Amino acid sequence: MTRSEENYIKTIFHLGRQGMEAVSTNAIAELMETKPSSVTDMIKKLSEKDLVNYKRYQGVSLTDLGTQTALGIVRKHRLWEVFLVEKLDFSWDEIHDIAEQLEHIKSDKLIDRLDKLLDYPKFDPHGDPIPDKNGDFKERDRKLLSEVEIGTKGVCVGVKDSSASFLKFLDRNHIALGHQIEVLEIEEFDGSLNISINQNNMQISHQIASNLYIKINEQ
Amino acid sequence: MTRSEENYIKTIFHLGRQGMEAVSTNAIAELMETKPSSVTDMIKKLSEKDLVNYKRYQGVSLTDLGTQTALGIVRKHRLWEVFLVEKLDFSWDEIHDIAEQLEHIKSDKLIDRLDKLLDYPKFDPHGDPIPDKNGDFKERDRKLLSEVEIGTKGVCVGVKDSSASFLKFLDRNHIALGHQIEVLEIEEFDGSLNISINQNNMQISHQIASNLYIKINEQ
DNA sequence: ACAAATTTTTAGCTTTGCCTAAATTATTAT
DNA sequence: ATAATAATTTAGGCAAAGCTAAAAATTTGT
Ligand SMILES: [Mn+2]
Ligand SMILES: [Mn+2]
Ligand SMILES: [Mn+2]
Ligand SMILES: [Mn+2]
């Protein structure tokens, strides 16, 4: 598989996660910053190789083979992200672009040894699950902070938006994975929240809350 | 720079090391397993970018810019090789092909952090020197085992041929970097040597001796 | 139901990096 | 010195992966 084919497969995988229907040509083009006509060309090629199901004008979805392929790439991307943070002291906002390159390195042995070096991590630095050798992973039971009710207590376990600008914002405001969060108040007017995080009280916009995942504490 | 451009630059660098004259089109083509006409095409492009000096039919050599570029790629290649051996327990015959991929990853910060993680190694697993951040490195004072006289004592510090088949041969015969070697006899007839290595006596062909570097012991 | 708007595909073109075959230049041998 | 040989370059083409513009199919709004 070429690098470009791998990038398309990965994009279709990510778009296919939310919303269970077939993925649209335009959605792929937008996420990949390319043109719809280019997407159509590539989809045909992927279809030839039995990586996607495709009928003209009907959108596209991954086959089982395509899904396995995607999981392999996602596994590599996330393991390299862990490596960059754990072994090379990168911060979570610097790693995505480098992992975009590293995810295309071809060597099963390499990735399995890396997995071992990192002690078989289950989640990447943004809280996303890492598929194992066989493509299996458990999606963590988590909710967007914007969708829980007043009084909810939980721990911050992930981000939905993992752009550098959002991650840097979280750093500046001392919001990090693993922190305890309690929702104290929800403002009717603009949906902003008053929360306590790590013992500190702060006000965050709906926008922020809708990009933070928490795991609600068992009581 | 594209991956292909980087590979050409690196090849010209390696060919330029031995023999100080300009590198020939055919030599490049052979080493890269491509056709001379393709080489000519690429050389023109590299010449446009001031990475090589080129006059039709006169061969090619790296400019200062080209040399710096090559040193950067070689640095990455060799640091990744050290990583694979030191951190992921690969053997020295498995690492070259993976490093061929990793050497093209673009991130200065990544490579400097890797350098630090590995504690700034000076040589790669095959005994080749690793250029530092600025492209500086010291060529170790070493000689081919086939070119020293009877009675010479030294330590094995590198291999000339680093193909997997040669390296595996060395493993099978318990020849490794760091081992003490003494030349006991040289057979006139076929140039084979009787040596002691790590206290053991063995007979090695001229072919083998001409691919092993030793550093002669100070006396 | 049908026109308008949107989405998707097709057609044709570009660049990169490679190829083969033919032409050119340099080198070697007589 | 010239002919043969070898090395190198040029010419012309191909496949991958992108693009723009135009055509076709689908979806939406009235
Ligand atoms: Mn990422
Ligand atoms: Mn991530
Ligand atoms: Mn190597
Ligand atoms: Mn090496």
Side-chain angles (χ1 to χ4, degrees):
Chain A
M1 281 195 76
T2 67
R3 171 173 302 231
S4 188
E5 286 171 342
E6 289 188 345
N7 283 331
Y8 275 96
I9 289 294
K10 194 180 49 146
T11 300
I12 295 166
F13 175 81
H14 286 311
L15 286 170
R17 290 284 101 180
Q18 54 262 38
M20 228 42 242
E21 320 107 49
V23 173
S24 83
T25 301
N26 273 4
I28 299 169
E30 187 172 8
L31 204 58
M32 297 192 65
E33 299 180 68
T34 183
K35 302 293 165 179
S37 55
S38 307
V39 174
T40 302
D41 284 348
M42 181 57 87
I43 283 175
K44 286 178 183 166
K45 200 163 73 148
L46 297 176
S47 179
E48 281 303 307
K49 297 191 177 189
D50 269 316
L51 292 160
V52 300
N53 306 115
Y54 172 60
K55 276 203 296 250
R56 281 160 77 253
Y57 293 101
Q58 300 305 133
V60 72
S61 64
L62 294 179
T63 61
D64 286 353
L65 178 60
T67 303
Q68 279 311 116
T69 305
L71 286 165
I73 303 164
V74 168
R75 168 171 161 81
K76 288 196 278 184
H77 182 101
R78 293 180 180 164
L79 280 174
W80 279 116
E81 286 191 341
V82 174
F83 170 74
L84 293 172
V85 167
E86 295 296 318
K87 300 295 178 183
L88 300 188
D89 295 315
F90 278 85
S91 56
W92 67 345
D93 59 288
E94 302 173 304
I95 58 182
H96 180 77
D97 292 344
I98 302 176
E100 286 289 304
Q101 300 180 63
L102 287 165
E103 74 189 3
H104 300 290
I105 301 294
K106 280 165 185 61
S107 167
D108 288 344
K109 193 164 184 174
L110 170 60
I111 206 65
D112 291 338
R113 293 288 176 89
L114 187 64
D115 199 13
K116 183 181 179 188
L117 176 73
L118 301 171
D119 207 18
Y120 309 103
K122 294 272 171 294
F123 298 96
D124 85 0
H126 309 107
D128 295 313
I130 300 175
D132 69 16
K133 222 189 207 325
N134 308 309
D136 299 326
F137 66 95
K138 57 165 194 299
E139 193 69 71
R140 191 151 39 182
D141 179 37
R142 61 189 189 176
K143 280 214 155 67
L144 285 176
L145 186 54
S146 57
E147 290 173 353
V148 300
E149 35 185 45
I150 293 182
T152 304
K153 294 179 188 179
V155 50
C156 184
V157 294
V159 293
K160 182 153 178 241
D161 173 3
S162 52
S163 68
S165 65
F166 180 55
L167 299 175
K168 279 184 191 149
F169 168 87
L170 297 180
D171 284 345
R172 279 197 303 279
N173 290 277
H174 312 102
I175 300 174
L177 302 198
H179 285 180
Q180 279 292 333
I181 293 184
E182 178 175 359
V183 178
L184 306 173
E185 265 186 88
I186 301 178
E187 183 57 62
E188 284 267 331
F189 179 61
D190 63 352
S192 67
L193 317 192
N194 194 259
I195 62 172
S196 98
I197 177 159
N198 236 23
Q199 333 290 14
N200 282 79
N201 282 20
M202 68 181 296
Q203 190 78 13
I204 62 173
S205 70
H206 179 80
Q207 163 87 321
I208 301 302
S210 64
N211 280 297
L212 283 175
Y213 287 112
I214 66 167
K215 179 174 187 303
I216 296 171
N217 294 345
E218 342 244 324
Q219 38 49 303
Chain B
M1 281 194 77
T2 68
R3 171 173 302 228
S4 188
E5 286 171 342
E6 289 188 345
N7 283 331
Y8 275 95
I9 290 293
K10 193 179 50 146
T11 300
I12 295 166
F13 175 81
H14 286 311
L15 286 170
R17 289 285 101 179
Q18 53 261 40
M20 229 39 244
E21 319 106 49
V23 173
S24 83
T25 300
N26 275 2
I28 298 168
E30 186 172 7
L31 204 59
M32 297 191 66
E33 298 181 68
T34 183
K35 302 293 165 180
S37 55
S38 306
V39 174
T40 302
D41 283 348
M42 182 57 87
I43 283 174
K44 286 177 182 166
K45 200 163 72 147
L46 296 176
S47 178
E48 281 303 307
K49 296 191 177 188
D50 270 315
L51 291 160
V52 300
N53 306 115
Y54 172 62
K55 275 204 297 249
R56 283 160 79 250
Y57 293 99
Q58 300 305 132
V60 72
S61 64
L62 294 180
T63 61
D64 285 354
L65 178 59
T67 303
Q68 279 311 117
T69 305
L71 285 165
I73 302 165
V74 168
R75 168 171 161 81
K76 288 196 277 185
H77 182 102
R78 294 180 179 164
L79 280 174
W80 280 116
E81 285 191 342
V82 174
F83 170 74
L84 293 172
V85 167
E86 296 295 317
K87 300 296 178 182
L88 299 189
D89 296 314
F90 278 84
S91 56
W92 65 346
D93 60 288
E94 303 173 304
I95 57 182
H96 181 77
D97 293 344
I98 302 176
E100 285 290 303
Q101 299 180 64
L102 287 164
E103 73 188 4
H104 300 291
I105 301 293
K106 281 167 185 58
S107 166
D108 288 344
K109 194 164 183 174
L110 170 60
I111 206 65
D112 290 339
R113 292 287 175 89
L114 187 65
D115 199 12
K116 183 180 178 189
L117 175 73
L118 302 171
D119 206 17
Y120 309 102
K122 293 273 173 294
F123 299 95
D124 84 1
H126 310 108
D128 295 313
I130 300 175
D132 69 16
K133 223 187 201 338
N134 307 309
D136 299 325
F137 66 95
K138 58 164 191 302
E139 194 69 72
R140 190 151 40 181
D141 180 35
R142 62 188 187 176
K143 279 213 154 65
L144 285 175
L145 186 54
S146 57
E147 290 172 352
V148 300
E149 35 184 48
I150 292 181
T152 305
K153 295 179 187 178
V155 49
C156 184
V157 295
V159 294
K160 182 154 179 238
D161 172 3
S162 52
S163 68
S165 63
F166 181 55
L167 299 175
K168 279 184 191 149
F169 168 88
L170 297 179
D171 285 345
R172 278 197 303 280
N173 290 277
H174 312 103
I175 299 174
L177 302 197
H179 285 180
Q180 279 293 332
I181 292 184
E182 178 175 358
V183 178
L184 305 173
E185 264 187 90
I186 302 177
E187 184 57 61
E188 284 268 332
F189 178 61
D190 64 351
S192 66
L193 317 194
N194 194 259
I195 63 172
S196 98
I197 177 158
N198 235 26
Q199 332 290 16
N200 283 79
N201 281 22
M202 69 182 293
Q203 190 78 12
I204 62 173
S205 69
H206 179 81
Q207 163 88 320
I208 301 302
S210 65
N211 280 296
L212 282 175
Y213 287 113
I214 66 168
K215 180 175 188 303
I216 296 171
N217 293 345
E218 342 244 325
Q219 36 54 296

